[in-house]
Amino acid sequence: MSNLDKYLWLDQMPHFACSGCGHGIALAAMIRAIDKLGLGQNETVMVCAIGCAGRLPVYLDFPSIRTPHGRALTVATGIKLANPKLQVIVFMGDGDAAAIGGNHLIHTARRNIDLTAIVAINEIYGMTGGQYAPTTEKGKFASTAPFGMIEPQMDICKLTQGAGASFVARGDVYHVMELDNLVSKAISHKGFSVVEILTTCPIQFGRRNKDSKPSDMIKNLKGKTVTKKQAEQLSKEDLADKLVRGILVEEDRPEYIEEYDRLTNLKEEGDLN
Ligand SMILES: Cc1ncc(C[n+]2csc(CCOP(=O)(O)OP(=O)(O)O)c2C)c(N)n1
Ligand SMILES: [Mg+2]
């Protein structure tokens, strides 16, 4: 494996993540995918917002920007439109992407603009004290759900598929080799690509939910997900508490910037009034 140190600000170490946090595994998968694809470090822009997930890309040596809560995709859209040659990757937490940023997620998917969104699902607002997120499983405990979450869990893969994302995948921080592949396929895809990464927060989620030790939380992801092939063999009842991982949507659909360019070229040629 190649040396990935060149992608890190080593002088900023040690990083701030808690012991056992799964976010680093998700981030590492992203760096390995970038390395595998040979993307130029100056042509790859990293966009993130807030939370632990939004804070971690600060350790990466790419042109990058941190945006207000929920607005990473909005800023990423502006960057991509200003310079379509840039590869723009957005790394977000689940609270950030699905709650305050939910509207932006829907419309970025609908436009099918050529960005990659990586969403780290730890089922909680990790940084701010363990409030529940739209992705918190029903019945689980959070600082704002001391008697258990009563709302149904949001499925970001289904949401973005319904909104029009042309590439949707789910991976987890247990199946790391698969994850590298999913992220690199997402980045290579032309159009809006989303990778939901199931990760772990032993401190804000695990302790409240009496989960086992951090390493077991990661191992538990193994039983929580099934491949598409395995899903086909399962009954509806057995599938009910499982999440399907792998590439869930991969379509060739008109991409926003190409449509925009077509329109502006028509205008220049005088075919539009
Ligand atoms: C407008 C605004 N509201 C609230 C906050 C406080 N805030 C910071 S991080 C965060 C939660 C982030 O949760 P998530 O996106 O799931 O990231 P995690 O920490 O779990 O990785 C919130 C609500 C903020 N920074 N800005
Ligand atoms: Mg979170």
Side-chain angles (χ1 to χ4, degrees):
M1 189 193 282
S2 59
N3 186 357
L4 302 177
D5 283 1
K6 66 175 177 177
Y7 297 105
L8 301 172
W9 289 113
L10 291 174
D11 59 346
Q12 298 295 314
M13 299 293 165
H15 56 73
F16 86 107
C18 306
S19 302
C21 171
H23 279 6
I25 302 176
L27 206 68
M30 181 181 73
I31 302 170
R32 281 193 295 270
I34 289 171
D35 191 64
K36 182 178 143 194
L37 295 170
L39 302 180
Q41 231 159 311
N42 286 324
E43 288 78 47
T44 307
V45 180
M46 206 57 65
V47 185
C48 53
I50 51 69
C52 301
R55 174 77 172 77
L56 278 167
V58 169
Y59 297 100
L60 304 183
D61 185 5
F62 291 96
S64 59
I65 183 164
R66 290 191 77 195
T67 75
H69 196 356
R71 286 359 180 224
L73 288 169
T74 323
V75 172
T77 298
I79 293 170
K80 187 72 185 179
L81 271 169
N83 186 352
K85 289 199 192 92
L86 295 173
Q87 191 79 49
V88 184
I89 303 177
V90 183
F91 194 85
M92 293 177 284
D94 44 2
D96 187 35
I100 194 169
N103 201 19
H104 299 275
L105 182 64
I106 291 170
H107 293 289
T108 312
R110 182 178 61 83
R111 282 188 202 111
N112 196 33
I113 186 163
D114 189 23
L115 304 172
T116 298
I118 298 175
V119 188
I121 313 276
N122 56 7
E123 295 192 44
I124 205 87
Y125 283 14
M127 183 170 270
T128 45
Q131 295 86 358
Y132 67 74
T135 43
T136 306
E137 194 182 336
K138 202 168 176 179
K140 296 288 180 182
F141 297 97
S143 61
T144 47
F147 305 109
M149 174 72 161
I150 57 167
E151 299 173 20
Q153 186 178 34
M154 178 188 275
D155 183 330
I156 290 183
C157 291
K158 283 188 184 154
L159 176 83
T160 49
Q161 176 179 7
S166 52
F167 184 102
V168 179
R170 178 182 287 120
D172 63 67
V173 299
Y174 178 86
H175 299 95
V176 177
M177 308 292 239
E178 275 180 36
L179 195 55
D180 288 8
N181 189 36
L182 293 178
V183 177
S184 68
K185 289 231 167 91
I187 294 173
S188 312
H189 177 79
K190 182 96 186 153
F192 186 55
S193 52
V194 187
V195 186
E196 170 183 297
I197 302 182
L198 307 178
T199 172
T200 54
C201 174
I203 304 299
Q204 296 294 0
F205 188 83
R207 284 196 305 195
R208 279 194 179 82
N209 286 286
K210 309 267 181 296
D211 270 331
S212 35
K213 55 185 186 185
S215 53
D216 285 340
M217 279 182 79
I218 293 181
K219 283 185 204 147
N220 288 344
L221 291 170
K222 191 182 175 191
K224 201 170 171 178
T225 62
V226 290
T227 60
K228 279 202 286 189
K229 226 180 179 151
Q230 288 165 335
E232 283 164 17
Q233 311 297 323
L234 292 178
S235 66
K236 215 175 159 192
E237 293 72 38
D238 288 340
L239 202 54
D241 63 344
K242 305 271 184 231
L243 288 167
V244 181
R245 63 175 203 276
I247 297 174
L248 307 176
V249 178
E250 192 172 19
E251 285 168 5
D252 190 11
R253 284 211 303 103
E255 191 273 329
Y256 183 79
I257 291 174
E258 282 178 357
E259 293 293 293
Y260 187 82
D261 279 351
R262 195 176 53 80
L263 198 70
T264 45
N265 286 339
L266 285 177
K267 197 166 180 199
E268 271 163 27
E269 286 161 17
D271 291 343
L272 277 182
N273 292 322

